[in-house]
Amino acid sequence: MKWDALEEEPCSLARTVAVIGDRWSLLILRECFLRIRRFDEFQSSLGVTRHLLADRLKKLVRFGVLRKIPYQDAPKRYEYILTQKGLDLYPIIMSIVHWGNIHMVDSRGRPLLHEHKNCHKMFDPVMVCSECGEPLTAKEVHVHPGPGARKSSPARAKAVENEAKR
Amino acid sequence: MKWDALEEEPCSLARTVAVIGDRWSLLILRECFLRIRRFDEFQSSLGVTRHLLADRLKKLVRFGVLRKIPYQDAPKRYEYILTQKGLDLYPIIMSIVHWGNIHMVDSRGRPLLHEHKNCHKMFDPVMVCSECGEPLTAKEVHVHPGPGARKSSPARAKAVENEAKR
DNA sequence: TATTGACAGTTCTAAAATAGAACTTTAGGA
DNA sequence: TCCTAAAGTTCTATTTTAGAACTGTCAATA
C-alpha cells in the first residue's frame, strides 16, 4: 500500500497516520513541542539524516502541521513552528509519552516530568469523556458507523457490527 | 539510526515510538480495538502484505502488547489479543482518531462515532490534568528533567532549560 | 480416495525508502 | 583570502517493503 492511499481511507486513524505515522515525524514533533525550530537544531538533536529531515519537514508543512517563518533575510533563513493544527497534536504526543512513562521506563525513572502551569503540580494526562467527564477505557466504548462510513472489508464490517450491538 | 537504538533512548516518546511508531503497527492496533484477532482477518482488512503482517505481529507480541492465544489444536491456530499493556494504548489510538476527526475528515463527515457506555452519549476524548482535572494544552505545560534524564544534544538541553524557566 | 478450501505463515524478486557522507549556496567575520 | 554557519541537495550502498507465489496441516466435500 502506498502512503498516499492512506490519506484517502475512510478512517480518521489512517488519515492521521498518513501525516504523523512514521518514526521521524513523531520525533520531529516532540522537538517542536520542546521549542526546537531550526534545521540544524533538529538535525543535531535527532541524529536524523539531513535528507530525511528536509523531506519530513516538507511533508509536515504540506499538511499544515508546521509553518515556515523567515527569521533572517540575507541569506534567507526559516524557522519551523507549529500551526494550530500542529498544536492540536499535543494530546497524541502526551499520551504517547505517558504510555512510555508507564510501560517503558528503566530503573532510572522518567526522563522528563510535566508541570501544569494552572495548578503548579506535576501531572499525568488523563483521557476523559467530553460528555460525562469520566475517564475512558477501551471496554467502555461502543463504535457506530458515522456519516462518512464506507464499505470496508467483510472482516472489518463484521467487527464493527458486532461491536455496535454488544 | 536503527530502530533498536530508539528503545534505549532516555525519552518515553522515543521508546514508545520504537513499539508502535510505524504505519502498520498503528493500523494493526486499530483493528485489535475493533476486535479483529486472526491473521487472515488482519490481512484482508488491512491489505498489508502477509510478510509484514507476520513481522509486525511478532514484534507486538515481543513487546508484550499482544498475546498469542491458541483457539484450536489441530492444526494449531492462534488469536492475537491485546494484553493490559496493549489496552493501555487506547488513549493514544483515541487521540489519533480524534485529531483525524477534527482535521482530516472530508465532506462526508466522520467514518466512525464513539459512544460511552456509562453515559450513553456520543463523545469526543478530552485530555485533562490528573491533578486539577482541567483540559490540557501545550502552552500550559512546563517540562522539567526527571530522575531518568541523561545528557542530550546541546540544542535539546538548551530547549529543555529555557522551557523549564518560562 | 482424491479434491478443495481455510488458515497461518514463509520464500522469492523487484521496487522504494533510508543511512551516511560529501557537496552547494549565500553571506558574515578574522 | 580563508573560514564558518545555516539550510539544504546529491550521491551510492544498504535496508525495508510490496506483491505474488508457495508450504504444511487439517477438515469437509465429491
Side-chain angles (χ1 to χ4, degrees):
Chain A
M1 189 199 274
K2 300 285 158 51
W3 278 95
D4 300 2
L6 262 192
E7 287 173 53
E8 308 299 329
E9 289 229 348
C11 167
S12 292
L13 187 136
R15 291 183 188 182
T16 305
V17 166
V19 181
I20 60 158
D22 70 283
R23 184 164 44 152
W24 290 119
S25 297
L26 283 164
L27 292 169
I28 288 167
L29 287 166
R30 172 190 76 180
E31 301 303 90
C32 291
F33 280 106
L34 289 172
R35 297 188 171 75
I36 295 280
R37 309 187 150 168
R38 300 186 183 176
F39 192 92
D40 276 20
E41 287 181 324
F42 284 114
Q43 208 272 317
S44 71
S45 118
L46 291 174
V48 58
T49 63
R50 307 178 73 77
H51 185 120
L52 270 207
L53 177 58
D55 185 80
R56 292 299 188 272
L57 287 173
K58 207 170 286 171
K59 182 175 131 189
L60 290 170
V61 168
R62 178 160 54 78
F63 277 115
V65 167
L66 297 179
R67 189 168 31 213
K68 234 173 143 167
I69 306 281
Y71 70 90
Q72 163 184 309
D73 264 352
K76 271 277 189 201
R77 288 293 139 81
Y78 298 89
E79 294 189 316
Y80 294 89
I81 68 160
L82 290 161
T83 61
Q84 185 57 50
K85 187 170 174 182
L87 287 167
D88 287 350
L89 289 166
Y90 195 62
I92 298 179
I93 301 295
M94 277 304 282
S95 52
I96 291 174
V97 170
H98 182 237
W99 190 86
N101 279 338
I102 300 298
H103 292 289
M104 302 294 284
V105 292
D106 56 34
S107 57
R108 275 173 282 243
R110 300 185 180 190
L112 225 50
L113 301 175
H114 297 263
E115 179 192 343
H116 192 206
K117 287 190 204 178
N118 292 31
C119 67
H120 307 293
K121 290 188 185 142
M122 300 297 170
F123 72 95
D124 281 325
V126 177
M127 176 160 283
V128 303
C129 167
S130 60
E131 304 307 307
C132 70
E134 288 298 305
L136 287 168
T137 63
K139 296 183 192 271
E140 294 163 357
V141 174
H142 277 320
V143 298
H144 301 276
R150 271 173 279 165
K151 269 208 289 281
S152 51
S153 77
R156 178 82 187 282
K158 187 152 149 284
V160 172
E161 193 190 318
N162 286 340
E163 171 48 36
K165 66 184 178 220
R166 273 165 63 94
Chain B
M1 189 197 276
K2 302 285 158 53
W3 278 95
D4 299 2
L6 262 192
E7 287 174 51
E8 307 299 328
E9 289 228 351
C11 167
S12 292
L13 186 136
R15 292 184 188 181
T16 305
V17 166
V19 182
I20 59 158
D22 71 282
R23 186 162 42 152
W24 290 120
S25 297
L26 284 165
L27 292 168
I28 288 168
L29 286 165
R30 172 190 76 181
E31 300 304 89
C32 291
F33 280 106
L34 289 171
R35 298 192 170 72
I36 296 280
R37 308 188 150 168
R38 300 185 183 177
F39 192 92
D40 276 21
E41 287 180 323
F42 285 112
Q43 209 274 316
S44 71
S45 116
L46 291 173
V48 58
T49 62
R50 306 178 73 77
H51 185 122
L52 272 205
L53 177 58
D55 186 80
R56 292 298 188 273
L57 288 173
K58 208 170 286 173
K59 181 175 130 190
L60 291 170
V61 168
R62 179 160 51 81
F63 278 114
V65 167
L66 296 179
R67 188 167 32 215
K68 232 173 144 169
I69 305 279
Y71 70 89
Q72 164 183 306
D73 263 351
K76 270 279 188 201
R77 288 293 138 80
Y78 298 90
E79 294 188 316
Y80 294 88
I81 68 158
L82 290 161
T83 60
Q84 185 58 48
K85 188 171 173 181
L87 287 168
D88 287 350
L89 289 166
Y90 195 63
I92 299 179
I93 301 294
M94 277 304 281
S95 52
I96 291 175
V97 170
H98 182 237
W99 190 86
N101 279 339
I102 301 298
H103 292 289
M104 303 293 285
V105 293
D106 55 33
S107 58
R108 275 173 282 242
R110 300 185 180 190
L112 225 49
L113 301 175
H114 297 264
E115 179 191 343
H116 192 207
K117 288 191 202 175
N118 293 29
C119 67
H120 307 293
K121 290 186 184 143
M122 299 300 171
F123 72 96
D124 280 326
V126 177
M127 176 159 285
V128 303
C129 167
S130 59
E131 303 307 307
C132 71
E134 288 298 304
L136 287 168
T137 64
K139 296 183 192 273
E140 294 163 357
V141 174
H142 276 320
V143 297
H144 301 276
R150 271 174 279 167
K151 269 207 290 280
S152 51
S153 78
R156 178 82 185 284
K158 188 154 149 282
V160 172
E161 192 189 318
N162 286 338
E163 170 49 35
K165 64 181 181 223
R166 273 164 62 95

